[in-house]
Amino acid sequence: MKIAYISTYPPRECGLATFNNNLMRAISANFPDRHSLAQGGFVVALNDSENPHEYEYPEEVKYVIRQNHQKDYIRAANYINTSSADVCIMEHEFGIYGGESGIYILPLINRLEKPLISILHTILKDPSYVQRIIIREIAEQSSKIIVMSQRAVEFLTTIYEIPAEKIQIIEHGVPDVEAPEENPVKNLSAFKNRRVLLTFGLISRNKGLETVVRALPKIVEKHPDVTYVILGNTHPGVIKNSGEEYRDHLKSLAVQLGVSKNLVFINKFVPEEELVNYLTACEIYVTPYLNEAQITSGTLSYAVGSGAAVVSTPYWHATELLADKRGRLFDFKNSDALADIAIELLDQDRVLNELKENAYQYGLHLRWPVVGAEFIKVAQEAIVRFDFSDKILKNSIVDPEILPKFSLTHVLRLTDDTGIVQHAKYGIPNLKEGYCLDDNARALIMALMAYQRSKSNEAFELLPIYLSYIHYMQTDDGNFRNFLSFDRRYLDEVGSEDSFGRTIWALGYLIDCAASNSYREFALEIFHKSVPHFRALTHLRGMANTIIGISLYLQAVPTDEGMVQILKDLTQPLIDAYDNNQAEDWQWFEEKMTYDNAILPLALLHSCEITGNERAKEVAMATMAFLDKLTLSNGYLSPVGNDGWYYRGGTFPTFDQQAIETMAMVLMHFQAYQIFRIPQYVEKMFLSYKWFLGENTLRAPLYDHETKGCCDGLLPTGINRNQGAESTLAYLISHLTVLKAFELEYEYNKYGQKLEIC
């Protein structure tokens, strides 16, 4: 039997990496004829960086997934499917996989053609909608779900509604080693002639170590030979964001309390054999976590398995593992209660040794070879029962393999410290044309989407540039100018209603999903200043863009009743325009189709989502169907060309096709899917997006793989090779929308066979 393991892996410092390595060794220990871990299978390792060679992995790691690269997950599934693996074991924790709450893992497991066993290390009592969906989908795709506590089973069956027969408890493994008779740790200065309280593991604020430090004065007063040893490195994520601030805080607290000499940090990662020496050298092991929401603790399991006397706060795993006199519990953040228990145990060797013996005896059945044997049984059963024909696997509506790699290269080329330049000659910024509000608003939306997707520093650093441009172009009365010369001279007094509306869209989006609170507050200030102009809008597209912005704003501020009324008031003119112009053969808002057409039904879709306006929904569906029939009937997108509009009863203009038409189609269909959950809309979204890649009238790609920009349009003679901001941003927003839709693949692939494009 060969196993493919999906997890983080050493030398990456991560609890799941250590667990997965231990599990591989535990399973191999049950096959004495294996001389290396690689003989029993291989690891698909998760990297937390863009560099696949970040870590020097051992030979058993055969494939590396970069956490935020969606294509890596699909390729990993293909690698596993074509390998000799008989079964897969996946370690799951939300934070190690990419996308919102690690949703990128779903396309991988959906494509697996091998039985899957999933080990859930984190099960939340109050999951978000997406987190609940992810756990349910993992359960559906898995032959067995492994958890490590009874509380985990309760959560999965009641909160996540997963059948109990799908779940099995296998407790966290512990090292299969005994402490040496001559323990070298006892000769360390921190331990020699000292009575040690110990905590080990990656250090971060949620560990509650300050509770132990606050308990020290009371303990030391009775037992002056006590030392509290904190063993372990600071968590890499904490180091990245705040350095050693927490460790320094603990040191300062100890100084304030007069116990600095009784606190020792051993700042290193220790292997298991050495860790057992530390655990058996201490008098009391402490896990002072701050709240109950800890379904599994590997450090707690190791302490019990080593026969340590454990004192802990009553988080979920601790209440189970320390039952039946295997440890003692104190309340969260209660340093006095901890001190009392510690003093009681240090005063009474008999009670202390009884705790140690009870823990040691229980720990014998937690040793890794025993746990490995249980996993072997689960894996063998999964292989026997697995029937691939029972697993409904469809080709994804969205094919990530044809998507170019997302890149901000051309956007960065077009952007300076003022904003994004609106035009380009080929791929070179055309500074003579200066800047416009439309493009900087689109650029703000794009940068926010890019940052949301991958926490890109490049995208984050662009946000203040575009937001600053919007602020600079706002007039004293709250309206906006549009055009600015390269030397920063205003070129108009009042911009178009289109540019006004697109700016409100960008501000609404920023308010709804701000990367920082200061950006949200700034956007709110600009937004509210512009509100008096909302009801003065007269052009449908200006209204439509503004409707989208208001709808996004109301997602963040749903209690603003005045803004809800403005949204209703702006929606009605679109409905009236449709009612006044529609006929049996003409389901549209005007007597002609002009530019950015899909923005009109898109606005109604956003509006009805907020207001529940059924008439808005009806008009959106009717006009969307009409637009689809006109532009998608050939099996590819052929939008209304700008070389003359499409008048009722007239000739459909094929060229000059523009990228903003395509972007609006992509956004419209994705919004329709999010409301109606009909997979056909995802198909149409992706079909529209492929216009950029060459599925269009001329079969010519507009996306430029060399510059990472997008050409400005499709002409009768070929492609407009200029790559300005409007077209490039339209492409990137469409690309990011497709990636967002791909995250929902697990959902829309369940709705039956694909529908015909109308």
Side-chain angles (χ1 to χ4, degrees):
M1 180 175 63
K2 287 195 173 184
I3 301 173
Y5 299 84
I6 305 169
S7 176
T8 54
Y9 203 72
R12 179 176 173 182
E13 291 185 9
C14 166
L16 265 67
T18 302
F19 182 95
N20 196 55
N21 179 252
N22 284 331
L23 180 58
M24 285 192 77
R25 294 180 183 279
I27 290 174
S28 290
N30 286 271
F31 297 94
D33 55 326
R34 290 181 181 171
H35 303 296
S36 71
L37 292 182
Q39 286 184 286
F42 60 88
V43 176
V44 173
L46 274 296
N47 268 22
D48 53 353
S49 74
E50 295 293 297
N51 181 8
H53 306 295
E54 176 81 8
Y55 303 104
E56 293 186 15
Y57 287 118
E59 64 170 344
E60 59 266 24
V61 174
K62 302 297 185 186
Y63 201 90
V64 173
I65 294 174
R66 293 164 295 177
Q67 181 174 338
N68 293 314
H69 284 250
Q70 287 172 295
K71 289 184 182 179
D72 286 2
Y73 293 83
I74 305 306
R75 291 166 181 165
N78 294 336
Y79 182 86
I80 294 169
N81 289 338
T82 56
S83 74
S84 59
D86 301 297
V87 63
C88 298
I89 293 179
M90 179 182 73
E91 313 290 345
H92 182 267
E93 198 168 69
F94 294 110
I96 69 169
Y97 301 108
E100 183 181 353
S101 297
I103 201 169
Y104 288 3
I105 191 59
L106 297 188
L108 189 161
I109 63 174
N110 189 59
R111 284 167 165 74
L112 282 180
E113 299 171 9
K114 316 274 185 178
L116 173 67
I117 298 162
S118 296
I119 306 169
L120 304 185
H121 291 261
T122 300
I123 304 167
L124 301 175
K125 185 178 182 180
D126 298 301
S128 68
Y129 173 81
V130 172
Q131 289 165 340
R132 186 172 182 270
I133 286 291
I134 289 170
I135 295 299
R136 285 176 58 85
E137 185 64 17
I138 288 172
E140 183 167 329
Q141 297 297 333
S142 300
S143 299
K144 209 74 170 179
I145 293 291
I146 304 298
V147 295
M148 302 176 200
S149 66
Q150 184 57 47
R151 182 65 64 96
V153 176
E154 293 172 12
F155 284 1
L156 289 178
T157 53
T158 58
I159 299 169
Y160 299 86
E161 299 177 333
I162 294 169
E165 60 270 18
K166 203 83 181 269
I167 309 165
Q168 182 169 333
I169 297 176
I170 301 180
E171 291 189 77
H172 197 297
V174 302
D176 186 31
V177 292
E178 300 286 347
E181 291 185 15
E182 296 294 328
N183 191 337
V185 169
K186 291 184 176 181
N187 293 321
L188 298 176
S189 59
F191 284 77
K192 194 169 186 177
N193 300 319
R194 308 292 294 174
R195 305 191 79 181
V196 173
L197 311 183
L198 176 69
T199 298
F200 85 91
L202 294 173
I203 296 173
S204 60
R205 277 197 175 273
N206 64 335
K207 298 297 176 68
L209 305 180
E210 62 275 9
T211 304
V212 188
V213 176
R214 293 185 187 281
L216 280 179
K218 191 173 181 180
I219 298 170
V220 169
E221 183 180 359
K222 187 72 183 292
H223 294 277
D225 58 344
V226 162
T227 297
Y228 178 39
V229 174
I230 298 174
L231 172 63
N233 297 324
T234 300
H235 193 287
V238 175
I239 288 282
K240 182 178 179 181
N241 295 317
S242 53
E244 293 288 4
E245 180 268 337
Y246 182 51
R247 190 186 296 267
D248 293 339
H249 164 71
L250 295 173
K251 291 177 181 178
S252 298
L253 180 61
V255 171
Q256 294 171 25
L257 297 173
V259 291
S260 59
K261 294 181 179 179
N262 303 88
L263 175 65
V264 174
F265 288 92
I266 300 178
N267 188 11
K268 69 174 184 177
F269 178 82
V270 296
E272 284 187 355
E273 296 78 5
E274 189 178 348
L275 178 58
V276 171
N277 294 343
Y278 280 95
L279 288 167
T280 53
C282 73
E283 293 285 353
I284 298 172
Y285 183 78
V286 188
T287 55
Y289 298 157
L290 295 176
N291 60 67
E292 65 177 358
Q294 181 87 13
I295 206 82
T296 304
S297 170
T299 60
L300 179 70
S301 298
Y302 279 22
V304 169
S306 299
V310 181
V311 178
S312 175
T313 49
Y315 54 90
W316 295 323
H317 193 200
T319 56
E320 291 187 34
L321 194 54
L322 301 182
D324 301 326
K325 298 182 179 180
R326 293 189 291 269
R328 297 285 294 275
L329 301 174
F330 66 96
D331 202 10
F332 301 106
K333 301 181 183 180
N334 193 334
S335 55
D336 284 336
L338 168 59
D340 291 341
I341 293 172
I343 291 168
E344 177 191 345
L345 295 178
L346 293 170
D347 282 345
Q348 303 180 66
D349 287 343
R350 180 189 60 78
V351 177
L352 185 69
N353 291 331
E354 182 182 344
L355 281 184
K356 290 183 177 182
E357 179 62 19
N358 290 344
Y360 175 82
Q361 291 299 327
Y362 188 82
L364 292 176
H365 91 277
L366 301 180
R367 298 206 171 185
W368 274 117
V370 178
V371 169
E374 291 190 61
F375 272 96
I376 290 170
K377 291 178 184 176
V378 173
Q380 289 172 335
E381 183 177 327
I383 292 168
V384 170
R385 293 189 173 186
F386 184 69
D387 183 352
F388 182 64
S389 63
D390 289 340
K391 181 173 181 178
I392 301 173
L393 184 67
K394 302 178 180 68
N395 292 325
S396 176
I397 294 172
V398 177
D399 181 4
E401 288 298 329
I402 75 168
L403 271 65
K405 181 180 178 182
F406 180 80
S407 173
L408 291 170
T409 299
H410 192 53
V411 167
L412 293 170
R413 188 181 297 123
L414 292 173
T415 301
D416 59 19
D417 60 354
T418 297
I420 191 165
V421 175
Q422 62 175 324
H423 291 305
K425 294 295 288 183
Y426 300 96
I428 309 303
N430 183 359
L431 305 180
K432 294 178 181 180
E433 302 293 336
Y435 317 85
C436 72
L437 187 63
D438 291 275
D439 289 338
N440 280 275
R442 289 190 193 94
L444 181 60
I445 293 170
M446 184 282 300
L448 279 165
M449 293 177 73
Y451 180 73
Q452 277 187 306
R453 178 178 172 268
S454 63
K455 297 297 182 285
S456 160
N457 286 330
E458 274 187 331
F460 187 77
E461 289 170 3
L462 291 171
L463 297 178
I465 297 174
Y466 305 137
L467 185 56
S468 177
Y469 182 90
I470 290 171
H471 177 249
Y472 187 64
M473 299 304 281
Q474 188 168 38
T475 58
D476 291 341
D477 69 351
N479 210 328
F480 297 94
R481 296 180 173 92
N482 192 2
F483 298 109
L484 189 73
S485 68
F486 183 64
D487 58 357
R488 295 184 179 176
R489 286 181 296 108
Y490 294 126
L491 299 178
D492 54 7
E493 290 301 316
V494 179
S496 66
E497 289 192 8
D498 283 6
S499 65
F500 180 93
R502 289 181 182 119
T503 304
I504 301 307
W505 180 349
L507 292 170
Y509 189 47
L510 178 54
I511 292 164
D512 186 38
C513 62
S516 75
N517 196 49
S518 62
Y519 288 161
R520 176 180 284 112
E521 290 174 351
F522 194 17
L524 280 165
E525 182 180 310
I526 301 171
F527 182 92
H528 285 304
K529 190 175 180 180
S530 69
V531 169
H533 297 276
F534 287 3
R535 284 196 167 96
L537 295 168
T538 58
H539 297 287
L540 293 185
R541 283 159 184 78
M543 292 179 189
N545 283 285
T546 304
I547 285 169
I548 297 169
I550 294 173
S551 299
L552 293 167
Y553 164 85
L554 286 170
Q555 288 182 180
V557 193
T559 56
D560 191 337
E561 293 297 330
M563 196 58 65
V564 172
Q565 188 57 52
I566 292 175
L567 176 61
K568 292 177 180 178
D569 292 345
L570 283 177
T571 300
Q572 192 58 45
L574 269 69
I575 297 172
D576 292 343
Y578 171 78
D579 289 338
N580 292 334
N581 288 283
Q582 67 91 20
E584 187 176 343
D585 63 342
W586 188 256
Q587 302 291 306
W588 199 243
F589 303 89
E590 301 164 300
E591 281 292 307
K592 61 181 181 295
M593 279 186 159
T594 57
Y595 65 95
D596 209 5
N597 293 294
I599 211 75
L600 300 175
L602 172 62
L604 292 179
L605 289 171
H606 276 280
S607 178
C608 73
E609 186 179 29
I610 298 295
T611 64
N613 186 330
E614 285 298 319
R615 182 57 182 157
K617 184 188 294 185
E618 291 170 4
V619 174
M621 293 180 71
T623 53
M624 184 165 49
F626 182 64
L627 185 58
D628 286 347
K629 185 176 181 180
L630 286 172
T631 61
L632 291 175
S633 58
N634 293 325
Y636 56 84
L637 177 65
S638 181
V640 175
N642 283 199
D643 185 18
W645 309 126
Y646 178 42
Y647 289 83
R648 181 176 178 179
T651 303
F652 190 90
T654 303
F655 302 101
D656 168 23
Q657 296 180 19
Q658 299 286 307
I660 59 165
E661 295 290 329
T662 303
M663 181 189 83
M665 291 289 286
V666 168
L667 293 172
M668 178 187 72
H669 287 122
F670 185 55
Q671 179 67 12
Y673 174 74
Q674 290 183 299
I675 292 175
F676 304 116
R677 289 302 195 257
I678 298 174
Q680 185 182 26
Y681 292 124
V682 180
E683 289 186 74
K684 292 179 177 181
M685 175 210 69
F686 192 51
L687 187 63
S688 299
Y689 166 78
K690 288 190 287 186
W691 178 90
F692 292 107
L693 306 184
E695 293 202 22
N696 51 48
T697 308
L698 295 182
R699 292 297 189 265
L702 285 90
Y703 176 73
D704 188 329
H705 290 267
E706 180 181 356
T707 66
K708 314 303 181 190
C710 179
C711 298
D712 280 351
L714 210 59
L715 305 172
T717 54
I719 296 171
N720 181 342
R721 291 281 290 122
N722 295 330
Q723 297 172 17
E726 179 182 284
S727 55
T728 296
L729 292 167
Y731 167 75
L732 291 173
I733 290 171
S734 300
H735 184 105
L736 289 164
T737 303
V738 168
L739 291 177
K740 182 70 175 174
F742 181 58
E743 293 176 11
L744 303 176
E745 178 196 46
Y746 67 90
E747 182 180 86
Y748 53 70
N749 273 358
K750 292 180 181 177
Y751 290 113
Q753 295 185 352
K754 296 196 290 182
L755 304 175
E756 291 295 323
I757 298 295
C758 69

